[in-house]
Amino acid sequence: MSRMMIISAAVAVLGIGAYFVTSPGSSVTPVDPLGAANAQETEADIDTSTIAEMSLGNPDAPVTVIEYASFTCPHCASFHAGPYKQLKADYIDTGKINFVYREVYFDRYGLWASMIARCAGTPEKFFGMTDLIYAGQSEWSRAGDPAAIIEELRKIGRLAGLNGDTMEACLQDGDNARTLVAWYQENAEADGVDSTPSFVINGQKYSNMAYSEMAALIDAAAE
């Protein structure tokens, strides 16, 4: 996917109405996070400083690894099922790196998953939710229509212990949805992200790679 396409994806997410809000027994209602009055608002008009960076490890470590990933990206799910676990054991849990996860929104489904994951609150709970979302990606992302997909994501939220009312409030927060998309676009442009997963190691961007290559890059950056 080209850089222009990845940025256009953010526009597409906004243009289609970022998510569907349903309550038990209710009909599916499309919600536009921008709102009709704000349809012309641009990324520059949105304050993205309210979006928390989700990070693990040692914030003072000499190496920072940023992962750009989409919850609907199969290659991202594969990374989290394997290499990420090694990275966590070898570098994150040992405090050798500061690991930052930044969501990429190719579609509304990835945005919904992000909103539910961030609803968990703390970075530790967010990453726990991320593990569940990636583990079940092949099921929830192919559940069918938008109503079925959002219900499967709700199930993951409930499995992780999220209160139903809290989760609905997160899903219905149109301002936050709009800000998340602007935040994603801002980061993608700044780091030149053109595919997922992508990694930025101490400011240098890399495409998806074998874990052995990543470990070698991290070790070199720490020297």
Side-chain angles (χ1 to χ4, degrees):
M1 178 172 287
S2 70
R3 183 177 178 185
M4 182 60 68
M5 289 176 68
I6 199 171
I7 292 172
S8 296
V11 178
V13 169
L14 291 175
I16 61 179
Y19 56 99
F20 284 77
V21 178
T22 61
S23 297
S26 71
S27 60
V28 179
T29 304
V31 177
D32 182 353
L34 285 176
N38 297 318
Q40 301 303 314
E41 189 171 22
T42 66
E43 171 200 350
D45 298 316
I46 300 174
D47 179 10
T48 60
S49 66
T50 58
I51 303 301
E53 288 277 24
M54 292 299 173
S55 63
L56 291 174
N58 177 10
D60 298 319
V63 180
T64 293
V65 177
I66 303 173
E67 178 192 2
Y68 281 91
S70 166
F71 283 120
T72 56
C73 160
H75 293 296
C76 301
S78 295
F79 173 76
H80 278 263
Y84 171 73
K85 293 181 179 179
Q86 294 177 279
L87 181 71
K88 190 172 186 298
D90 295 343
Y91 293 97
I92 299 174
D93 292 344
T94 57
K96 293 180 180 179
I97 67 170
N98 177 37
F99 178 79
V100 179
Y101 179 92
R102 290 179 179 170
E103 301 97 300
V104 169
Y105 304 126
F106 289 137
D107 47 53
R108 54 185 168 176
Y109 308 130
L111 177 59
W112 299 345
S114 173
M115 293 173 79
I116 287 179
R118 285 178 170 271
C119 197
T122 66
E124 290 75 16
K125 291 181 179 179
F126 169 85
F127 281 101
M129 185 81 78
T130 293
D131 289 342
L132 292 174
I133 290 171
Y134 276 126
Q137 184 193 81
S138 61
E139 287 77 34
W140 67 262
S141 65
R142 301 173 185 173
D145 62 22
I149 289 173
I150 197 64
E151 184 53 37
E152 288 302 310
L153 286 170
R154 283 192 179 98
K155 289 180 182 178
I156 293 174
R158 290 193 290 268
L159 181 64
L162 276 181
N163 174 276
D165 290 340
T166 299
M167 188 160 43
E168 292 311 305
C170 290
L171 285 170
Q172 294 186 50
D173 191 343
D175 287 340
N176 186 51
R178 179 184 60 187
T179 305
L180 280 169
V181 173
W183 170 80
Y184 139 66
Q185 185 174 353
E186 186 178 275
N187 287 329
E189 288 182 319
D191 286 332
V193 173
D194 52 14
S195 63
T196 56
S198 286
F199 304 92
V200 178
I201 301 175
N202 276 8
Q204 180 65 47
K205 189 195 76 172
Y206 300 93
S207 298
N208 196 17
M209 67 189 85
Y211 176 70
S212 59
E213 296 177 51
M214 179 178 289
L217 289 169
I218 292 173
D219 290 342
E223 293 176 354

